[in-house]
Amino acid sequence: MDTIQNLLQISARFFKQLSEDTPKGDERSLYIDEINRLLDDRGNIIENLRQQGFKFNENDKTHVTLAQLDKGIRERLDLVMNTVKQDMKDLQNTKKHEKQYMNPYSTVQVMDGMYYDKKK
């Protein structure tokens, strides 16, 4: 039962972490590192519970709370992941537009203005 309480505490901390707004800039690295650490801790505890033969009980308040936390964690993790994906996409678009701005004729391929001398 102690492992379940530990899982409940880590899940609650993880849920709280994901409830915060996704930071920008350098703070985002720390935020993502903390998410990864909590995911690893939570995954290790869940793996230990599986090895012990843990069975989910729908009548137990703790198990219902864990299920609700897990649902919330998954939803918020998807939101964070989508935010990061969108930021990466925006960065790629910015790089692409910057290259086009620096050399607007890089995609133009015309043979106009070239002279070929046929004499040898």
Side-chain angles (χ1 to χ4, degrees):
M1 196 64 170
D2 187 39
T3 335
I4 294 173
Q5 291 300 324
N6 196 10
L7 177 63
L8 188 61
Q9 289 173 354
I10 287 179
S11 295
R13 193 171 351 141
F14 192 32
F15 184 80
K16 183 182 176 195
Q17 176 78 20
L18 291 174
S19 296
E20 297 172 2
D21 290 337
T22 307
K24 301 284 184 191
D26 294 337
E27 293 176 6
R28 178 175 277 174
S29 295
L30 298 173
Y31 181 78
I32 291 173
D33 287 342
E34 181 67 16
I35 287 174
N36 284 331
R37 188 186 64 76
L38 289 170
L39 271 173
D40 289 340
D41 292 347
R42 196 166 173 263
N44 290 336
I45 292 172
I46 291 172
E47 187 61 34
N48 287 339
L49 285 172
R50 283 187 182 154
Q51 289 175 356
Q52 294 173 3
F54 174 76
K55 298 291 182 192
F56 182 74
N57 184 359
E58 294 181 9
N59 297 329
D60 191 1
K61 283 176 109 176
T62 306
H63 296 182
V64 172
T65 306
L66 277 172
Q68 290 172 347
L69 275 174
D70 186 56
K71 182 180 177 188
I73 286 170
R74 288 176 192 265
E75 291 171 357
R76 283 177 170 73
L77 200 54
D78 285 341
L79 289 174
V80 169
M81 213 153 106
N82 288 336
T83 303
V84 171
K85 282 182 185 178
Q86 185 63 42
D87 287 348
M88 288 175 63
K89 188 176 179 182
D90 291 344
L91 181 64
Q92 293 299 322
N93 284 338
T94 303
K95 285 181 181 181
K96 178 182 170 189
H97 291 298
E98 185 177 312
K99 282 183 182 178
Q100 285 178 340
Y101 179 77
M102 296 300 280
N103 189 2
Y105 302 109
S106 65
T107 58
V108 178
Q109 295 182 0
V110 288
M111 299 297 278
D112 193 27
M114 295 181 78
Y115 174 73
Y116 290 105
D117 190 9
K118 293 185 180 180
K119 293 183 181 180
K120 291 192 180 194

